[in-house]
């Protein structure tokens, strides 16, 4: 029997209270403050092109206002429909039949329909992100004017999540008429219509789409400004020059909590602060990797990094990535005595191993160093940038490192696929491998039955966890803040980098 999944967006976005959000039709009825017609928000990054097919880096904060996606995330990070009105997962395990909203128009007045979706899929596949997208979805085809079939690459692929992030639906008519012009004046179906971008300041101005199919936004003007550092953003929030900001430091979030004019928000994301063990002497020495993994006190790592609130990891990946599998496998917990037993069985010769860390995580590196010194492993700390981290990963010299690791549209099967012997990192030859683990991951791809697939995933995750090539230390948190009278802003938006400002209104 088919498994039917049908979510109407306006039902899925009913939240418990005004501070947790509201759906658009309620927002439009809310009374505005004196500044209630304008929302000034900080963007994710500064880019020159807003062509969703050719950009090398997305400014998702901006793009998600002018464009819609087929699906989106709600306040709990769960997938709900956006341009997709309902959908059904078919018995073959890979086909998702999607019913589209009817009566939706692009900002240029042309119709949104299945042909437009297929056209956007073809443009995406031919563009910058085609190869990445094809790792999740193998085809999108038209069934009828308002129905499409999405074919997942495998039954285990996280297709709906990738469709929350990628494939922003552009107007085929506007794009084909002037692709270069489209890059600086994008046209979608979104809640806001692009008006202009100031050449000097980079500020983007958008106005409300009064015909938006989910209801006209309560806030009529968006001003999207260039990213700023945390302390500057806090000042701008307190003076009212800024209404929403992301990437705030923990100390500034503490300030926000004591402010009458600013509301600080913190959310768990899809990343963990992760200790990677890449390259010799760890690659060929399972016992040494085990010793290091069991030596690390995850809670101390968070405390050393001044994390006021933290969740120490008990899974291979973040809880959001693990989903229903969270808590169903075991990892190498903190056990110094067991760590020393493994060290005695290892080939470690007392040489110094380098802990390479980003400057943000220097305190975590110190915590790791203390734990390893306690069991007799000699280490030194080296601070590097992300580019150097990538270079050292590629050439096998990284040794021990600390990095934030995870992806908002990934599930455990996608994450594991990087590390099997045929995967991106696996082919570098810098991680310990297991034929049994490789086979277990490969087996998941072809299983269509959901219960059988979960069992196979648990087996694969456990085998990869036992390799101890990397250890998730604690869940990464993402900080954002908004004006205290702005309602509907969600803490999880900062973790997803995809705010939906049409849900906001002023108290």
């Amino acid at each position: 029997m088919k498994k039917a999944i049908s979510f109407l967006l306006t039902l899925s976005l009913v939240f418990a209270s005004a501070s947790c959000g509201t759906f658009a039709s309620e927002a439009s009825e809310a009374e505005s403050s004196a500044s209630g017609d304008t929302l000034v928000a900080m963007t994710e990054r500064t880019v020159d092109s807003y062509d969703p097919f050719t950009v090398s880096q997305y400014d998702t904060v901006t793009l998600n206002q002018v464009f819609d996606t087929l699906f989106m995330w709600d306040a709990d990070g769960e997938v709900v429909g956006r341009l997709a009105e309902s959908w059904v997962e078919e018995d073959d395990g890979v086909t998702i039949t999607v019913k589209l909203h009817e009566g939706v128009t692009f900002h240029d007045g042309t119709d949104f329909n299945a042909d437009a979706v297929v056209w956007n899929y073809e443009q995406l596949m031919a563009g910058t992100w085609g190869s990445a997208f094809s790792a999740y979805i193998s085809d999108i085809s038209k069934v009828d004017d308002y129905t499409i079939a999405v074919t997942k690459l495998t039954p285990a692929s996280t297709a709906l999540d990738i469709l929350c992030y990628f494939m922003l639906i552009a107007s085929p008519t506007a794009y084909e008429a002037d692709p270069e012009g489209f890059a600086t004046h994008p046209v979608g179906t979104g809640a806001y219509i692009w008006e202009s971008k100031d050449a000097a300041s980079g500020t983007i101005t958008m106005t409300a789409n009064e015909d938006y199919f989910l209801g006209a936004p309560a806030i009529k003007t968006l001003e999207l400004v260039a990213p700023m550092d945390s302390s500057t953003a806090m000042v701008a929030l307190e003076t009212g020059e800024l209404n929403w900001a992301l990437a705030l430091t923990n100390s500034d979030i503490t300030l926000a909590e004591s402010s009458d004019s600013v509301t600080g928000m913190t959310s768990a994301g899809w990343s963990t602060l992760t200790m990677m063990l890449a390259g010799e002497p760890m690659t060929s020495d399972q016992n040494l990797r085990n010793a290091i993994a069991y030596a690390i006190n995850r809670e101390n790592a968070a405390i050393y990094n001044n994390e006021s609130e933290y969740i120490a990891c008990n899974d291979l990946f973040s809880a959001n990535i693990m989903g229903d599998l969270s808590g169903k496998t075991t990892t190498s917990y903190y056990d110094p005595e067991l760590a020393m037993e493994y060290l005695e069985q290892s080939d470690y010769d007392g040489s110094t191993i380098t802990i390479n860390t980003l400057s943000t995580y220097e305190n975590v590196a110190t915590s790791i160093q203390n734990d390893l010194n306690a069991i007799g492993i000699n280490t030194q700390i080296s601070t590097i940038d992300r580019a150097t981290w990538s270079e050292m990963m590629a050439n096998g010299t990284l040794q021990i490192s600390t990095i934030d690791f995870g992806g908002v549209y990934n599930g455990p099967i996608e994450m594991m696929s990087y590390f099997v012997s045929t995967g991106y990192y696996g082919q570098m030859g810098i991680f310990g491998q297991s034929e049994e683990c490789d086979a277990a991951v490969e087996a998941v791809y072809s299983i269509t039955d959901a219960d059988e697939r979960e069992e196979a995933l648990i087996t694969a995750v456990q085998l990869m966890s036992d390799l101890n090539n990397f250890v998730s230390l604690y869940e990464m948190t993402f900080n954002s803040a908004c004006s205290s009278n702005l309602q509907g802003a969600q803490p999880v938006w900062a973790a997803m980098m995809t705010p939906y400002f049409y849900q906001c209104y002023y108290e």
Side-chain angles (χ1 to χ4, degrees), residues 479-497:
N479 300 329
S480 59
C482 66
S483 301
S484 58
N485 64 336
L486 182 69
Q487 302 300 304
Q490 299 301 323
V492 76
W493 288 354
M496 301 181 304
M497 296 295 180

Side-chain angles (χ1 to χ4, degrees), residues 19-38:
S19 63
C20 292
T22 185
F23 51 73
S25 59
E26 289 183 351
S28 63
E29 297 171 3
E31 290 187 7
S32 298
S33 66
S35 61
D37 283 340
T38 301

Side-chain angles (χ1 to χ4, degrees), residues 51-327:
D51 179 336
F53 311 121
T54 63
V55 292
S56 58
Q57 287 189 317
Y58 273 19
D59 172 16
T60 57
V61 172
T62 299
L63 293 177
N64 268 274
Q65 314 317 315
V66 70
F67 296 115
D68 285 313
T69 45
L70 292 174
F71 298 89
M72 62 188 288
W73 291 291
D74 68 9
D76 298 317
E78 298 296 327
V79 174
V80 295
R82 199 174 184 182
L83 286 169
E85 184 179 69
S86 62
W87 64 99
V88 174
E89 295 186 5
E90 306 291 355
D91 289 339
D92 63 6
V94 294
T95 303
I96 305 171
T97 303
V98 181
K99 177 72 171 66
L100 305 173
H101 277 283
E102 297 186 29
V104 178
T105 57
F106 290 99
H107 301 155
D108 59 4
T110 57
D111 291 334
F112 163 77
N113 51 33
D115 289 326
V117 175
V118 173
W119 181 90
N120 273 268
Y121 168 69
E122 291 171 349
Q123 299 304 308
L124 175 61
M125 292 303 296
T128 305
W129 297 96
S131 60
F133 193 76
S134 64
Y136 302 79
I137 292 172
S138 61
D139 187 48
I140 295 179
S141 60
K142 176 181 176 179
V143 176
D144 60 38
D145 285 349
Y146 291 98
T147 308
I148 60 170
V150 175
T151 305
K152 300 192 292 184
L153 183 66
T154 76
S157 298
T158 57
L160 297 186
D161 287 280
I162 197 79
L163 287 169
C164 290
Y165 192 87
F166 280 109
M167 213 170 87
L168 298 138
I169 303 297
S171 164
T173 302
Y175 192 92
E176 290 180 339
D178 184 7
E180 290 186 9
F182 193 98
T184 57
H185 195 112
V187 179
T189 61
Y192 288 91
I193 300 170
W194 184 284
E195 294 294 335
S196 63
K197 180 177 181 179
D198 184 79
S201 66
T203 298
I204 297 164
T205 301
M206 297 184 188
T207 56
N209 178 4
E210 297 297 338
D211 296 322
Y212 190 50
F213 72 103
L214 294 173
I219 297 174
K220 301 307 179 184
T221 303
L222 281 185
E223 292 182 3
L224 303 174
V225 301
M228 56 188 77
D229 64 69
S230 179
S231 59
T232 303
M234 267 302 298
V235 172
L237 285 164
E238 289 177 331
T239 60
E241 298 171 79
L242 187 66
N243 304 117
W244 183 84
L246 73 168
L248 271 67
T249 63
N250 290 336
S251 58
D252 282 329
I253 285 294
T254 301
L255 286 175
E257 290 172 351
S258 62
S259 171
D260 292 331
S261 58
V262 181
T263 299
M265 297 177 285
T266 299
S267 171
W270 281 255
S271 299
T272 61
L273 198 285
T274 301
M275 178 181 68
M276 296 273 188
L277 308 180
E280 297 297 350
M282 283 78 65
T283 300
S284 58
D285 194 336
Q286 174 76 66
N287 286 320
L288 179 57
R289 297 198 304 273
N290 291 347
I292 294 171
Y294 280 102
I296 304 306
N297 187 320
R298 292 164 169 78
E299 296 198 356
N300 276 357
I303 293 168
Y304 263 65
N305 210 40
N306 300 314
E307 303 286 352
S308 56
E309 297 182 13
Y310 63 89
I311 300 174
C313 292
N314 294 307
D315 286 311
L316 185 62
F317 304 113
S318 72
N320 281 342
I321 287 177
M322 293 294 291
D324 293 339
L325 299 188
S326 183

Side-chain angles (χ1 to χ4, degrees), residues 319-337:
N320 281 342
I321 287 177
M322 293 294 291
D324 293 339
L325 299 188
S326 183
K328 294 185 178 181
T329 59
T330 59
T331 57
S332 48
Y333 53 88
Y334 177 53
D335 188 337
E337 291 186 4

